Amino acid sequence: MWLRGERTRHVWESEGSPVPLAAVRAELVRRLAEAAAGGRPHGGIGRIEFHVPYELLETDFDQWPVPRRGPGGRTRPLGAVHEVVVRCPQEREDTRTEWLDKWRWLHVHDGRHPDAVRTVEDPDVTDALGLRLGAAPAPACVLGHVGGPRTAALLDALLEGGVPVAVWRRGGGTPAGGLPALLAPDAGPGAPSVFALPARVREVRRAAAGQGPEGGDPLVLLWDDPDDTVHLRSLAT
């Protein structure tokens, strides 16, 4: 685990041995409590990133319970308190050029170019999807409107195409209103920006908190910034 601020601090490691995700969750909760005790409340930690292998991209990290601030001993889903994103940088070796080009193109256009975002539906998920996604700097963001059986193929295509940003529904399916609503004009001034997505997804998670299992709309946000990586083992168990 790393804590970023004015400098990046390495705060915890499994000492070379794989650990179950339950142990990672317990350590994360402990570190959040430690930060709060040190005068840095939960709200002072804006984003939590999970660097994971392909197989863990759909893990429900955003639903991990964390103690609620205030009395009562209740918990809140992690993704309702913080921006929670997943990353998969170790799968980018073969498509690093495309990954870098897309991210930098996205920045050049401030995430607002009309070609920056592409919605992918079930009929689009073919063996050639990854090639098509990686053929040009655009798209740099994919909104996945696919059913559960197509999700694995979609994720494979995202990584093959070097796509740094994507949103889909854990287990497949399309939320009410569709994913493009996340980039509606009220996301910020002017044209909607891809860079609004982490905050917008957190808004959805907060609105859905307490509405039953998985918080109503279990969105997954892949946010893989190639200019901001740490070289350490990812969560592998």
Side-chain angles (χ1 to χ4, degrees), residues 21 50 52 56 59-64 78 84 86 170 235:
L21 287 179
F50 290 88
V52 298
L56 292 183
T59 302
D60 60 347
F61 299 114
D62 55 281
Q63 295 298 314
W64 281 6
L78 183 67
V84 174
V86 292
R170 186 179 301 113
L235 302 181

Side-chain angles (χ1 to χ4, degrees), residues 76-125:
R76 295 288 189 197
L78 183 67
V81 182
H82 305 282
E83 294 176 3
V84 174
V85 305
V86 292
R87 307 189 59 178
C88 198
Q90 73 274 26
E91 301 286 356
R92 306 285 190 169
E93 292 302 319
D94 294 337
T95 57
R96 185 169 183 84
T97 298
E98 291 87 347
W99 183 34
L100 290 169
D101 286 350
K102 286 178 178 292
W103 185 257
R104 289 168 186 170
W105 179 88
L106 197 60
H107 271 276
V108 166
H109 296 283
D110 193 28
R112 300 177 188 274
H113 194 283
D115 295 332
V117 180
R118 180 175 301 173
T119 299
V120 172
E121 300 180 342
D122 278 348
D124 304 313
V125 183

Side-chain angles (χ1 to χ4, degrees), residues 7 59 70 115 136 153 167 182 202 213 237:
R7 61 187 180 89
T59 302
D115 295 332
V167 185
L182 292 169
R202 180 173 60 177
T237 62

Side-chain angles (χ1 to χ4, degrees), residues 2-200:
W2 298 76
L3 182 63
R4 288 195 177 100
E6 294 181 358
R7 61 187 180 89
T8 299
R9 291 194 295 117
H10 179 200
V11 297
W12 181 71
E13 188 176 356
S14 62
E15 303 300 333
S17 300
V19 295
L21 287 179
V24 175
R25 179 171 59 187
E27 184 64 22
L28 175 61
V29 169
R30 189 177 79 82
R31 293 292 173 173
L32 289 172
E34 185 179 85
R40 184 174 186 172
H42 280 201
I45 299 177
R47 183 177 300 164
I48 296 176
E49 302 177 351
F50 290 88
H51 292 223
V52 298
Y54 169 84
E55 294 79 10
L56 292 183
L57 281 174
E58 286 212 289
T59 302
D60 60 347
F61 299 114
D62 55 281
Q63 295 298 314
W64 281 6
V66 295
R68 187 187 69 166
R69 295 191 294 274
R74 293 176 57 192
T75 63
R76 295 288 189 197
L78 183 67
V81 182
H82 305 282
E83 294 176 3
V84 174
V85 305
V86 292
R87 307 189 59 178
C88 198
Q90 73 274 26
E91 301 286 356
R92 306 285 190 169
E93 292 302 319
D94 294 337
T95 57
R96 185 169 183 84
T97 298
E98 291 87 347
W99 183 34
L100 290 169
D101 286 350
K102 286 178 178 292
W103 185 257
R104 289 168 186 170
W105 179 88
L106 197 60
H107 271 276
V108 166
H109 296 283
D110 193 28
R112 300 177 188 274
H113 194 283
D115 295 332
V117 180
R118 180 175 301 173
T119 299
V120 172
E121 300 180 342
D122 278 348
D124 304 313
V125 183
T126 67
D127 287 342
L129 178 60
L131 293 173
R132 294 202 305 273
L133 292 175
C141 172
V142 165
L143 306 179
H145 284 191
V146 298
R150 296 280 191 176
T151 301
L154 170 66
L155 302 187
D156 186 72
L158 294 175
L159 296 173
E160 182 184 4
V163 177
V165 179
V167 185
W168 68 94
R169 201 167 186 229
R170 186 179 301 113
T174 303
L179 294 175
L182 292 169
L183 290 169
D186 63 353
S193 173
V194 170
F195 293 111
L197 274 173
R200 293 287 284 173

